[in-house]
Protein backbone atom coordinates (compact mmCIF):
# COMPACT_ATOMS: atom_id res chain seq x y z
CA UNK A 1 0.00 0.00 0.00
CA UNK A 2 1.35 3.46 -0.93
CA UNK A 3 1.71 6.00 1.85
CA UNK A 4 2.00 9.03 -0.46
CA UNK A 5 1.63 10.04 -4.09
CA UNK A 6 5.42 10.15 -4.53
CA UNK A 7 5.77 6.65 -3.08
CA UNK A 8 3.15 5.30 -5.49
CA UNK A 9 4.93 6.96 -8.39
CA UNK A 10 8.28 5.44 -7.36
CA UNK A 11 6.80 1.93 -7.25
CA UNK A 12 4.87 2.37 -10.49
CA UNK A 13 7.94 3.53 -12.42
CA UNK A 14 10.21 0.91 -10.83
CA UNK A 15 7.93 -2.04 -11.60
CA UNK A 16 7.33 -0.89 -15.17
CA UNK A 17 11.03 -0.44 -15.92
CA UNK A 18 12.10 -3.69 -14.22
CA UNK A 19 9.50 -5.59 -16.23
CA UNK A 20 11.32 -4.41 -19.33
CA UNK A 21 14.88 -4.72 -17.98
CA UNK A 22 14.53 -8.12 -16.28
CA UNK A 23 11.21 -9.76 -17.25
CA UNK A 24 12.27 -13.21 -16.02
CA UNK A 25 12.85 -12.00 -12.43
CA UNK A 26 10.43 -10.66 -9.84
CA UNK A 27 11.48 -7.50 -8.01
CA UNK A 28 9.90 -5.57 -5.15
CA UNK A 29 10.52 -2.02 -3.91
CA UNK A 30 10.15 -1.31 -0.18
CA UNK A 31 10.29 2.14 1.43
CA UNK A 32 12.36 1.85 4.60
CA UNK A 33 12.84 5.09 6.61
CA UNK A 34 15.19 3.28 9.00
CA UNK A 35 17.70 2.20 6.35
CA UNK A 36 21.30 2.97 7.36
CA UNK A 37 24.21 3.68 5.01
CA UNK A 38 26.83 0.91 4.81
CA UNK A 39 24.90 -1.34 7.21
CA UNK A 40 24.33 -4.26 4.86
CA UNK A 41 23.07 -7.78 5.47
CA UNK A 42 25.07 -10.59 3.82
CA UNK A 43 24.59 -10.62 0.06
CA UNK A 44 23.10 -7.11 -0.10
CA UNK A 45 24.52 -4.29 -2.21
CA UNK A 46 24.30 -0.55 -1.78
CA UNK A 47 23.74 2.34 -4.15
CA UNK A 48 23.52 6.00 -3.10
CA UNK A 49 21.95 8.66 -5.31
CA UNK A 50 23.69 11.83 -4.14
CA UNK A 51 22.50 14.41 -6.64
CA UNK A 52 18.73 14.12 -6.94
CA UNK A 53 16.53 17.20 -7.13
CA UNK A 54 13.33 17.62 -5.19
CA UNK A 55 10.99 20.09 -3.55
CA UNK A 56 10.39 20.22 0.20
CA UNK A 57 7.34 21.54 2.03
CA UNK A 58 7.45 22.43 5.72
CA UNK A 59 4.42 21.05 7.52
CA UNK A 60 4.81 23.67 10.27
CA UNK A 61 5.30 27.07 8.57
CA UNK A 62 4.31 26.05 4.99
CA UNK A 63 7.64 27.20 3.61
CA UNK A 64 8.68 25.41 0.39
CA UNK A 65 12.14 25.14 -1.11
CA UNK A 66 13.93 23.44 -3.96
CA UNK A 67 17.05 21.37 -3.33
CA UNK A 68 19.61 19.83 -5.66
CA UNK A 69 21.11 17.87 -2.76
CA UNK A 70 18.46 15.21 -2.11
CA UNK A 71 20.09 11.93 -1.12
CA UNK A 72 18.46 8.55 -1.75
CA UNK A 73 19.83 5.34 -0.25
CA UNK A 74 19.17 1.93 -1.85
CA UNK A 75 19.96 -1.56 -0.55
CA UNK A 76 19.57 -4.32 -3.13
CA UNK A 77 19.52 -8.11 -3.06
CA UNK A 78 18.96 -10.75 -5.74
CA UNK A 79 18.13 -14.39 -4.97
CA UNK A 80 19.35 -16.01 -8.18
CA UNK A 81 17.95 -19.45 -7.33
CA UNK A 82 14.40 -18.13 -6.81
CA UNK A 83 14.84 -15.34 -9.38
CA UNK A 84 13.49 -12.82 -6.90
CA UNK A 85 14.98 -9.47 -5.95
CA UNK A 86 14.33 -6.81 -3.36
CA UNK A 87 15.20 -3.12 -3.14
CA UNK A 88 14.90 -1.18 0.08
CA UNK A 89 14.86 2.58 -0.34
CA UNK A 90 15.17 5.64 1.86
CA UNK A 91 14.83 9.28 0.76
CA UNK A 92 16.62 11.47 3.29
CA UNK A 93 14.75 14.47 4.65
CA UNK A 94 15.70 18.07 5.35
CA UNK A 95 14.87 20.51 8.13
CA UNK A 96 13.18 23.82 7.37
CA UNK A 97 15.72 26.65 7.70
CA UNK A 98 12.97 29.28 7.93
CA UNK A 99 11.19 28.27 11.11
CA UNK A 100 13.96 26.10 12.59
CA UNK A 101 11.64 23.37 13.89
CA UNK A 102 12.99 19.89 14.52
CA UNK A 103 10.49 18.30 12.16
CA UNK A 104 12.08 16.48 9.23
CA UNK A 105 10.34 17.21 5.93
CA UNK A 106 9.91 14.80 3.03
CA UNK A 107 10.63 15.74 -0.56
CA UNK A 108 8.35 15.48 -3.57
CA UNK A 109 9.65 14.85 -7.07
CA UNK A 110 8.38 15.21 -10.59
CA UNK A 111 7.61 12.05 -12.54
CA UNK A 112 10.34 12.74 -15.10
CA UNK A 113 12.88 13.08 -12.27
CA UNK A 114 11.75 9.78 -10.73
CA UNK A 115 12.09 8.02 -14.07
CA UNK A 116 15.69 9.17 -14.44
CA UNK A 117 16.51 8.15 -10.87
CA UNK A 118 15.02 4.70 -11.42
CA UNK A 119 17.16 4.40 -14.55
CA UNK A 120 20.22 5.02 -12.37
CA UNK A 121 18.99 2.43 -9.86
CA UNK A 122 18.56 -0.17 -12.60
CA UNK A 123 22.04 0.64 -13.91
CA UNK A 124 23.43 -0.11 -10.45
CA UNK A 125 21.32 -3.29 -10.20
CA UNK A 126 22.75 -4.55 -13.48
CA UNK A 127 26.30 -3.88 -12.34
CA UNK A 128 26.13 -5.16 -8.76
CA UNK A 129 23.47 -7.88 -8.82
CA UNK A 130 23.80 -9.20 -12.38
CA UNK A 131 27.47 -8.32 -13.01
CA UNK A 132 26.55 -6.67 -16.30
CA UNK A 133 27.57 -3.44 -17.94
CA UNK A 134 24.82 -1.20 -16.66
CA UNK A 135 25.53 1.73 -18.95
CA UNK A 136 25.93 5.42 -18.16
CA UNK A 137 24.50 7.08 -15.08
CA UNK A 138 22.41 10.21 -15.51
CA UNK A 139 23.06 13.47 -13.69
CA UNK A 140 20.08 15.14 -12.07
CA UNK A 141 19.92 18.74 -10.96
CA UNK A 142 17.12 20.99 -9.83
CA UNK A 143 14.94 22.56 -12.48
CA UNK A 144 15.92 25.95 -11.10
CA UNK A 145 19.58 26.91 -10.57
CA UNK A 146 20.56 26.78 -6.90
CA UNK A 147 23.76 28.65 -6.12
CA UNK A 148 23.24 28.68 -2.38
CA UNK A 149 25.68 26.65 -0.25
CA UNK A 150 24.42 23.34 1.06
CA UNK A 151 23.63 23.68 4.78
CA UNK A 152 24.68 20.40 6.31
CA UNK A 153 23.09 21.14 9.70
CA UNK A 154 19.63 20.92 8.08
CA UNK A 155 20.36 17.79 6.01
CA UNK A 156 19.48 14.38 7.44
CA UNK A 157 21.90 12.60 5.09
CA UNK A 158 24.83 14.79 6.17
CA UNK A 159 24.03 14.15 9.82
CA UNK A 160 24.27 10.41 9.15
CA UNK A 161 27.68 10.71 7.51
CA UNK A 162 26.85 10.68 3.80
CA UNK A 163 29.21 13.08 2.05
CA UNK A 164 27.69 15.02 -0.83
CA UNK A 165 29.51 16.07 -3.97
CA UNK A 166 28.23 19.03 -5.93
CA UNK A 167 26.66 17.88 -9.19
CA UNK A 168 27.43 21.19 -10.88
CA UNK A 169 31.14 20.35 -11.27
CA UNK A 170 30.54 17.02 -13.00
CA UNK A 171 27.58 18.44 -14.88
CA UNK A 172 29.68 21.28 -16.27
CA UNK A 173 32.29 18.78 -17.45
CA UNK A 174 29.66 16.66 -19.20
CA UNK A 175 27.99 19.74 -20.67
CA UNK A 176 31.35 20.89 -22.05
CA UNK A 177 31.91 17.48 -23.64
CA UNK A 178 28.42 17.45 -25.12
CA UNK A 179 28.87 20.99 -26.44
CA UNK A 180 32.17 20.07 -28.11
CA UNK A 181 30.56 17.04 -29.71
CA UNK A 182 27.55 19.04 -30.95
CA UNK A 183 29.79 21.73 -32.42
CA UNK A 184 31.91 19.13 -34.19
CA UNK A 185 28.82 17.45 -35.63
CA UNK A 186 27.36 20.68 -37.03
CA UNK A 187 27.74 21.12 -40.82
CA UNK A 188 30.30 23.65 -41.86
CA UNK A 189 29.01 27.00 -43.10
CA UNK A 190 29.34 27.56 -46.81
CA UNK A 191 32.42 29.40 -47.94
CA UNK A 192 30.35 32.04 -49.70
CA UNK A 193 28.53 33.17 -46.55
CA UNK A 194 31.76 33.59 -44.59
CA UNK A 195 33.36 35.47 -47.48
CA UNK A 196 30.42 37.86 -47.79
CA UNK A 197 30.47 38.63 -44.07
CA UNK A 198 34.21 39.34 -44.13
CA UNK A 199 33.91 41.39 -47.32
CA UNK A 200 31.26 43.62 -45.72
CA UNK A 201 33.44 44.25 -42.69
CA UNK A 202 36.44 45.13 -44.86
CA UNK A 203 34.34 47.40 -47.10
CA UNK A 204 33.16 49.35 -44.06
CA UNK A 205 36.71 49.57 -42.78
CA UNK A 206 38.14 50.90 -46.05
CA UNK A 207 35.22 53.29 -46.49
CA UNK A 208 35.94 54.75 -43.06
CA UNK A 209 39.60 55.21 -43.98
CA UNK A 210 38.63 57.00 -47.23
CA UNK A 211 36.30 59.37 -45.39
CA UNK A 212 39.03 60.11 -42.87
CA UNK A 213 41.53 60.85 -45.66
CA UNK A 214 39.09 63.21 -47.41
CA UNK A 215 38.40 65.01 -44.16
CA UNK A 216 42.10 65.50 -43.44
CA UNK A 217 42.76 66.69 -46.99
CA UNK A 218 40.11 69.42 -46.80
CA UNK A 219 41.26 70.39 -43.32
CA UNK A 220 44.79 71.12 -44.55
CA UNK A 221 43.55 73.09 -47.59
CA UNK A 222 41.32 75.47 -45.59
CA UNK A 223 42.85 78.97 -45.10
CA UNK A 224 44.25 79.86 -41.77
CA UNK A 225 42.52 82.67 -39.85
CA UNK A 226 44.63 85.25 -38.05
Amino acid sequence: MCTSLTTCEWKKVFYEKMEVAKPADSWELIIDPNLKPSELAPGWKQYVEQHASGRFHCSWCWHTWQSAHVVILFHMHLDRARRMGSVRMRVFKQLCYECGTARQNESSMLEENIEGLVDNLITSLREQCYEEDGGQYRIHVASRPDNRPHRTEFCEACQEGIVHWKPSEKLLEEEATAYTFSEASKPRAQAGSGYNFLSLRWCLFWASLCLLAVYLQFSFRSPAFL
Side-chain angles (χ1 to χ4, degrees), residues 30 32-37 39 44 73-75 88-90 92 160:
I30 301 172
D32 185 354
N34 298 315
L35 208 62
K36 298 293 184 182
E39 294 185 6
W44 285 73
L73 175 65
F74 299 97
H75 285 181
R88 307 188 76 88
M89 166 186 165
R90 175 185 177 184
F92 287 90
E160 297 206 16

Side-chain angles (χ1 to χ4, degrees), residues 59-224:
S59 58
W60 180 257
C61 71
W62 305 103
H63 173 63
T64 61
W65 67 97
Q66 183 89 8
S67 176
H69 305 282
V70 182
V71 176
I72 308 173
L73 175 65
F74 299 97
H75 285 181
M76 311 165 292
H77 179 264
L78 172 63
D79 187 337
R80 292 182 177 272
R82 300 172 59 191
R83 303 194 71 95
M84 296 180 63
S86 179
V87 175
R88 307 188 76 88
M89 166 186 165
R90 175 185 177 184
V91 181
F92 287 90
K93 303 176 183 179
Q94 293 185 10
L95 291 172
C96 177
Y97 56 85
E98 285 289 336
C99 64
T101 62
R103 298 185 180 185
Q104 298 280 357
N105 300 282
E106 296 182 353
S107 66
S108 59
M109 297 179 183
L110 299 175
E111 181 178 352
E112 54 265 32
N113 289 345
I114 293 176
E115 289 182 355
L117 294 167
V118 171
D119 286 339
N120 282 355
L121 171 60
I122 294 176
T123 297
S124 183
L125 280 172
R126 286 180 177 275
E127 293 176 350
Q128 298 196 72
C129 296
Y130 291 95
E131 299 179 353
E132 299 175 353
D133 181 10
Q136 186 176 5
Y137 287 88
R138 295 173 58 181
I139 305 297
H140 300 273
V141 294
S143 57
R144 295 181 180 178
D146 185 6
N147 297 322
R148 295 172 299 176
H150 181 57
R151 304 180 65 174
T152 59
E153 67 272 21
F154 295 100
C155 176
E156 186 181 34
C158 290
Q159 298 304 313
E160 297 206 16
I162 297 180
V163 179
H164 295 258
W165 58 270
K166 292 185 178 180
S168 56
E169 298 176 1
K170 186 172 182 179
L171 182 65
L172 287 174
E173 181 181 348
E174 292 200 354
E175 284 183 345
T177 304
Y179 176 78
T180 303
F181 175 78
S182 63
E183 287 297 312
S185 61
K186 287 182 180 179
R188 295 288 183 179
Q190 293 182 359
S193 60
Y195 175 78
N196 291 337
F197 173 71
L198 291 176
S199 298
L200 179 60
R201 289 203 326 182
W202 280 109
C203 286
L204 292 174
F205 173 73
W206 287 112
S208 300
L209 284 181
C210 290
L211 289 175
L212 179 61
V214 172
Y215 171 77
L216 293 175
Q217 184 178 6
F218 277 94
S219 297
F220 283 114
R221 285 185 178 182
S222 61

